[in-house]
Amino acid sequence: MAVETSAQLQIGGMHCAGCVATVEKALKSVPGVRTAEVNLVTERARVEYDPLAAAPEQLFNAVKEAGYSAKLAGSDSSTAGRELVEERERRAAELRRLTILSVALSTPVVVLSMLAPEFPSKNWILFALTLPVWAYCGWQFHAGAVAARRAPTMDTLVSLGTSSAFFYSAFVTFTHGWDTQGAEVYFDTAAVIITLILVGRFLEGRARARTGAAIRALVALQPARARLSSGEEVALEEVRAGDLVEVRPGEKIPLDGEVVEGASSADESMLTGESMPVEKNVGSPVTGGTVNGNGWMRYCVTRTGADGTLQQIIRLVEEAQGSKAPLQALADRFAGVFVPIVIAIALLTFGAWMVLSAGLSVALIRAVAVLVIACPCAMGLATPTAIMVAAGRAAQRGILAKGGASLEKAARVTTVVLDKTGTLTEGHPEVTDAIALAADSDWLMLAAAVESRSEHPLAQAVVRYRAPGANHHAENFQAVPGEGAIATVDGRTIIVGTRKLFRRHGGDSAALKSQLSRLEEQGKTAIIVAEASRPLGIIAVADRLAAGAVDAVRELQSMGLKISMITGDNRRTAEAVAKEAGIADVVAECLPGEKALRVRDLQSRGEVVAMAGDGVNDAPALAAADLGVAVAARGASAAGNVAVETADLVLLGRNLQSLPEALRLGRATTRIIRQNLFWAFVYNVIGIPLAALGYLNPMFAAGAMALSSVSVVTNSLRLRKF
């Protein structure tokens, strides 16, 4: 049986889509590597490999041989995030220094070249000023080109173009000596190209730094220390599950837990997008990173470190930001052959102008313009910058997107299927009626004994209403998905569930029809309690619509989406709830497997289906849907249940109004990606022929190339205001 593990690598030295293709190819060449996915913006690679055939050192060596650096990315999100920020700040400071020096040296080169009259030492002065720009300020391009000699990248194009102009000009200078007559040089071309590209990378770096603002904000949410109930303040790393922590008014809650003393409220807006404070009393869950209100609380820590909700959210957002959307595949395929094609076009351009007897200098400058105008950078940044900004913005709004593909799928949704209990409704049903049908005073406690073994919200409502007596213990418990449960209590076979389950065990629900119908028409779920085939009573449970559910449905409909409600509940109850929510299409009395079949049926009709649910019984339908959406309870682990694990999107805080927002964000993200890719492709398709035909000076080409990358990042940053 094959063994497989995954590793996250931090990659250094990448600048364009060609770099991404080179690193991916190098990693995939290592024996035992199954997949390798590299992200230009996050500078990370996710590698799945067989640990029996490959080791991390082999991955590092493969990347190093390709001309880049690699190390294992930190597993702790906070630490790794801080390290990456520090590294980027260091590189930004170095780039700023090189840019300033390059501008300072290039400015007199341009002034002398364009404005100063000819004088004997002019070319020598230009050579002296350009040499440090080409050799020192542009060293990163030349080193990158040498390192990527097997798979040319953007550095190759820049190095070839500037080196051609510089060495040609140096040759002319040395051969003509002090005689500048007829000694046409292009030192200004070499210096300005390097300067403009450095300026472009500096601006691009500043813009790209803003794309990670959401992660930095999430990391900053968690305080560094916690106050134990003893009054001692300790680092979070020292706190263990089970420790008691105190939180004073206005302080940040350091870790996940459950309130054991005191009462307050908490601002959870940064995690869930909900602006209203949430009341916290004894037994209430609290989440690390949220802000305590005006009260004092003592709580018991339940999750620490990487298990905490905030850390899981950061991890999911990082994974989403580091993933690729399917649209990126087009750019990746193009980038793999782009640079070699450009070099070939440059050579053809040079040859063609030589054949046309334009002269060596003209042919050379046209070829240099082709090399410089070409820009795989914009293509490489088109998708990941948009995904990074969108995933971060989604997290700020209480939406976790599991990868770029999730956002792209959200844009294509045509039909939304909503589960009832816990999704459209609050998920906290309460018993409204208890109707005895037999002379058995213990019937409610017998029902509660059976339901105490179940996790279903309706079962818990029965337990809350009438806890089982001390002598009532359920044995041989059997859950019947979508229908109820059966167990032996005090030697008696007790059935608690739907009329379908009751009939299957020989019961006659016809006699109960009028009472069941009356309750169901009121939007209540009627549960039959029976001993074998003898009915003991009927319990009616009602669950109110969740706050904002009606508005969410109305907004989804206004987006042109078809809405369907699906539930295991009986038809009358389902239709009553659906009518209140404003949904016309209702599928009731569905087993979990049948929910998945319903989703597949819609897909067979050409619909792109988003399925929203909150429980284990929704997992098959979430997995079958084109876009699975988990509605996670407030305070629950971000990856703590089957529905969340199965879903593509997670809505925190049971906020259904986040669903239309998530779908709109998916549409906006896909629109931005398409705009980025369109302009990146159009820029090259138009720019390269113009350069080859002599309509673009290499210096203007360099400026345009640098601005193309900046424009792509800037366009993606518009999603921050979504």
Side-chain angles (χ1 to χ4, degrees), residues 336-669:
V337 297
F338 180 79
V339 175
I341 289 174
V342 170
I343 293 173
I345 293 173
L347 291 173
L348 288 172
T349 300
F350 179 82
W353 283 103
M354 288 295 289
V355 169
L356 293 171
S357 302
L360 177 62
S361 62
V362 172
L364 179 67
I365 211 67
R366 301 288 187 264
V368 169
V370 170
L371 290 170
V372 175
I373 192 67
C375 184
C377 298
M379 286 183 289
L381 294 168
T383 297
T385 51
I387 292 297
M388 191 166 185
V389 177
R393 183 57 181 155
Q396 292 175 332
R397 303 293 300 162
I399 304 163
L400 297 184
K402 294 186 180 179
S406 301
L407 291 168
E408 192 173 321
K409 286 189 287 187
R412 295 187 291 109
V413 167
T414 59
T415 296
V416 177
V417 178
L418 301 171
D419 172 52
K420 181 177 76 71
T421 306
T423 302
L424 270 171
T425 63
E426 289 184 345
H428 298 291
E430 298 295 337
V431 173
T432 59
D433 302 83
I435 305 168
L437 300 175
D440 191 330
S441 60
D442 285 345
W443 74 277
L444 276 173
M445 285 188 286
L446 293 171
V450 175
E451 298 288 56
S452 66
R453 302 286 299 275
S454 172
E455 294 294 327
H456 197 281
L458 296 180
Q460 294 304 304
V462 174
V463 174
R464 285 195 301 272
Y465 182 72
R466 181 62 57 88
N471 298 322
H472 297 297
H473 299 288
E475 299 174 338
N476 304 320
F477 176 82
Q478 178 188 355
V480 183
E483 295 185 12
I486 306 168
T488 302
V489 184
D490 301 338
R492 303 165 67 181
T493 300
I494 304 298
I495 299 169
V496 184
T498 64
R499 63 182 81 190
K500 185 188 294 185
L501 182 63
F502 180 53
R503 283 198 302 267
R504 187 130 39 86
H505 286 78
D508 181 12
S509 62
L512 312 175
K513 184 176 180 180
S514 61
Q515 295 188 69
L516 293 173
S517 298
R518 177 180 58 82
L519 295 169
E520 289 164 357
E521 285 169 0
Q522 296 172 8
K524 300 174 181 178
T525 300
I527 302 170
I528 299 173
V529 180
E531 180 179 359
S533 61
R534 184 172 71 97
L536 300 178
I538 299 173
I539 301 174
V541 179
D543 189 7
R544 291 182 300 179
L545 280 178
V550 175
D551 291 337
V553 169
R554 191 179 297 123
E555 191 170 351
L556 289 169
Q557 290 169 336
S558 71
M559 293 168 63
L561 299 170
K562 302 169 187 173
I563 313 297
S564 177
M565 189 188 85
I566 192 166
T567 179
D569 215 336
N570 69 83
R571 173 155 293 279
R572 281 196 180 89
T573 301
E575 288 178 344
V577 172
K579 183 178 180 181
E580 188 180 354
I583 300 172
D585 185 35
V586 181
V587 181
E589 300 176 15
C590 255
L591 300 177
E594 292 173 338
K595 291 183 180 181
L597 290 175
R598 168 65 176 173
V599 168
R600 292 193 182 97
D601 178 56
L602 288 168
Q603 291 169 328
S604 69
R605 299 184 217 164
E607 301 291 341
V608 179
V609 181
M611 168 70 195
D614 75 316
V616 174
N617 61 336
D618 299 316
L622 293 176
D626 298 283
L627 182 75
V629 182
V631 184
R634 183 186 291 112
S637 164
N641 62 56
V642 177
V644 171
E645 290 288 356
T646 309
D648 301 297
L649 292 177
V650 181
L651 310 182
L652 298 176
R654 289 199 187 279
N655 185 7
L656 193 61
Q657 282 183 291
S658 297
L659 179 55
E661 188 172 350
L663 299 182
R664 288 203 317 274
L665 178 60
R667 291 180 179 183
T669 304

Side-chain angles (χ1 to χ4, degrees), residues 92-117:
E94 174 68 11
L95 185 58
R96 181 169 57 248
R97 187 178 63 79
L98 287 174
T99 303
I100 291 171
L101 176 61
S102 190
V103 169
L105 292 171
S106 298
T107 302
V109 170
V110 173
V111 172
L112 282 173
S113 298
M114 295 185 174
L115 303 178

Side-chain angles (χ1 to χ4, degrees), residues 111-171:
V111 172
L112 282 173
S113 298
M114 295 185 174
L115 303 178
E118 297 297 327
F119 57 91
S121 60
K122 179 179 178 180
N123 288 352
W124 291 101
I125 294 172
L126 291 173
F127 172 77
L129 289 169
T130 305
L131 178 61
V133 176
W134 176 86
Y136 180 67
C137 298
W139 177 250
Q140 57 181 293
F141 306 118
H142 310 314
V146 172
R149 57 192 177 277
R150 295 178 184 174
T153 65
M154 184 64 204
D155 286 341
T156 308
L157 300 180
V158 175
S159 181
L160 278 175
T162 57
S163 297
S164 299
F166 176 77
F167 283 117
Y168 171 80
S169 301
F171 174 77

